[in-house]
Amino acid sequence: MTIDYTKRPAAPRIDYTKRRATPAPTPTSPPASASASASAPAPAPAIDLTKVQAAAPKLLDLYKSARISLEKAGMAGRRAAVYLVLDRSGSMRGYYKDGSVQHLAERALGLSANLDDDGTVPVVFFSTEVDGIAELGLDDYEGRVNALHDGYGHMGRTNYHLAMQAVIDHYAESGATDPAFVVFQTDGGPSSRAAAEHVLCTAAKLPIFWQFVAFGDPEDKQFAFLRRLDELPVPTRRVIDNAGFFAAGRNPRSLSDSELYHQLTREFSTWLTAATDAGIIR
């Protein structure tokens, strides 16, 4: 049956009411004593530095930079399943060719090594449809994004909602108990704005945060929709604010690692608090 996404699409099918996520650390809680606080080590990242160094030495600087940003955001020791969604619409061709997409994937893997102890990042490639779902690992990431992209063939339009539903389904089937942090990359607005907005609002009840990252001219009007998604009112349109947005610019590779991780973690930290207060994360 063909679904008409110009109308309101069905709500996400997953029931997370029985899910329990690992509670966020509370670094602001009073320590037992001043001396204990001073001597206590910072909460450890999901994967130890020595393991990253052995498996993926080229990612070590990214891993360290991500850790610093997480610590600054009060999320040291936080656990989350990191997802990466990549746009394969026709206008993205240049960003695959110049390595921008591969570079973002490596940065996502550096972040994931701090947040998720399985050492992998599920990657959803989308255009008109979901073109493919794969995984990046510490031992299998170099050149992998373009190899996968080349294998998916034709580049189509930009249907956010199908990629979002694919993430929701994958997360449910994975059995994860920690929240999901989704880095959603695109260089344009969705083909169906109503469908994308509806899935985002419905998914606000789930332990999933969507961080949209735009490649291209930050002043381009096509990104107005993403800014609107970021600002959808609470609680009239969604139970909590479950999305962030920032523009990585025309040359995403020129954005420093520290700035990228700052932008990625800035609203995620706020969402963790709101989701915990709302009982979405337990």
Side-chain angles (χ1 to χ4, degrees):
M1 179 179 69
T2 301
I3 300 175
D4 182 1
Y5 280 104
T6 61
K7 300 179 181 179
R8 293 175 67 85
R13 298 182 293 275
I14 308 306
D15 178 7
Y16 283 91
T17 56
K18 296 182 180 180
R19 288 191 173 274
R20 295 293 182 268
T22 304
T26 53
T28 56
S29 300
S33 69
S35 59
S37 176
S39 60
I47 299 179
D48 184 77
L49 182 147
T50 56
K51 292 182 179 180
V52 176
Q53 190 168 24
K58 293 181 181 179
L59 294 182
L60 200 57
D61 287 344
L62 294 175
Y63 169 84
K64 292 177 180 178
S65 183
R67 181 175 184 177
I68 291 170
S69 291
L70 288 167
E71 289 172 351
K72 287 180 177 179
M75 291 190 291
R78 177 74 246 185
R79 298 292 178 260
V82 177
Y83 282 79
L84 179 62
V85 178
L86 296 175
D87 186 348
R88 289 191 72 252
S89 58
S91 56
M92 279 291 301
R93 193 178 310 276
Y95 290 117
Y96 282 94
K97 187 176 181 179
D98 72 8
S100 294
V101 185
Q102 173 70 33
H103 191 49
L104 177 65
E106 292 171 6
R107 288 163 149 182
L109 198 52
L111 179 65
S112 178
N114 282 272
L115 295 172
D116 192 344
D117 60 10
D118 71 0
T120 62
V121 174
V123 186
V124 176
F125 293 83
F126 79 101
S127 57
T128 305
E129 306 289 341
V130 172
D131 298 330
I133 301 175
E135 286 188 346
L136 295 182
L138 293 176
D139 58 352
D140 184 22
Y141 71 89
E142 293 189 71
R144 184 159 164 75
V145 166
N146 276 13
L148 290 165
H149 161 64
D150 291 343
Y152 293 138
H154 177 71
M155 301 171 75
R157 299 191 302 275
T158 317
N159 280 321
Y160 288 10
H161 62 284
L162 299 179
M164 295 172 76
Q165 185 63 54
V167 170
I168 292 167
D169 291 346
H170 186 285
Y171 178 66
E173 293 164 6
S174 73
T177 56
D178 295 311
F181 176 56
V182 184
V183 180
F184 194 113
Q185 180 277 324
T186 184
D187 75 334
S191 301
S192 175
R193 297 185 178 190
E197 183 174 323
H198 181 67
V199 173
L200 181 76
C201 291
T202 305
K205 300 174 184 178
L206 309 179
I208 301 176
F209 180 77
W210 309 86
Q211 178 61 63
F212 293 94
V213 180
F215 282 13
D217 181 0
E219 302 305 317
D220 196 314
K221 292 182 179 179
Q222 65 183 328
F223 296 136
F225 175 75
L226 285 171
R227 291 187 173 89
R228 190 164 73 84
L229 279 187
D230 187 19
E231 297 168 359
L232 286 172
V234 174
T236 55
R237 294 291 289 116
R238 50 185 174 166
V239 293
I240 62 170
D241 182 350
N242 62 331
F245 166 76
F246 76 92
R250 295 176 183 269
N251 181 13
R253 296 185 67 180
S254 69
L255 190 68
S256 71
D257 298 331
S258 60
E259 178 60 20
L260 176 87
Y261 287 131
H262 167 69
Q263 294 289 351
L264 289 178
T265 57
R266 181 170 52 88
E267 292 195 55
F268 182 47
S269 175
T270 303
W271 173 80
L272 285 169
T273 299
T276 300
D277 291 345
I280 294 169
I281 296 175
R282 298 180 174 86

